[in-house]
Amino acid sequence: MNPDFQAGTDELRQTASSLSGTAARVTGAAASAPFPAPSPRWATTAAAQLAATAARDLLAQLGADTEETARQIRAAAEAYEEADARAAARLRLGR
């Protein structure tokens, strides 16, 4: 354990909040992306529809993964604070 290590939990929470905002924008962009028009039925229409669906799905997954990262950052900040509280309690009991 390094006694010089400090976790800035306020900064971690701010980062998580910012990341959640980014995740919401990415997920919203995926949900609001227009579907390609099915006509005219050119040779590339099916490929274009498949590519658009894949891009939409990828953006939705990216948004979900980004939100999960934000959740994990918030959990880490909470864990750091809980560890600090436990250490402070042990120090108080040791006096």
Side-chain angles (χ1 to χ4, degrees):
M1 188 160 104
N2 183 349
D4 296 330
F5 177 78
Q6 292 183 2
T9 55
D10 290 337
E11 290 86 358
L12 285 172
R13 283 195 174 86
Q14 289 171 358
T15 298
S17 178
S18 176
L19 206 51
S20 285
T22 299
R25 288 189 301 279
V26 170
T27 303
S32 66
F35 288 92
S39 60
R41 293 297 301 172
W42 294 332
T44 58
T45 301
Q49 290 173 333
L50 184 61
T53 299
R56 187 176 294 104
D57 292 347
L58 184 61
L59 280 173
Q61 186 60 50
L62 181 61
D65 289 349
T66 303
E67 181 55 42
E68 174 59 17
T69 299
R71 186 198 64 74
Q72 290 177 3
I73 291 170
R74 283 189 290 274
E78 189 173 313
Y80 282 126
E81 287 178 341
E82 290 171 359
D84 283 349
R86 286 191 306 270
R90 283 193 305 268
L91 288 173
R92 280 192 300 275
L93 291 175
R95 290 182 183 185

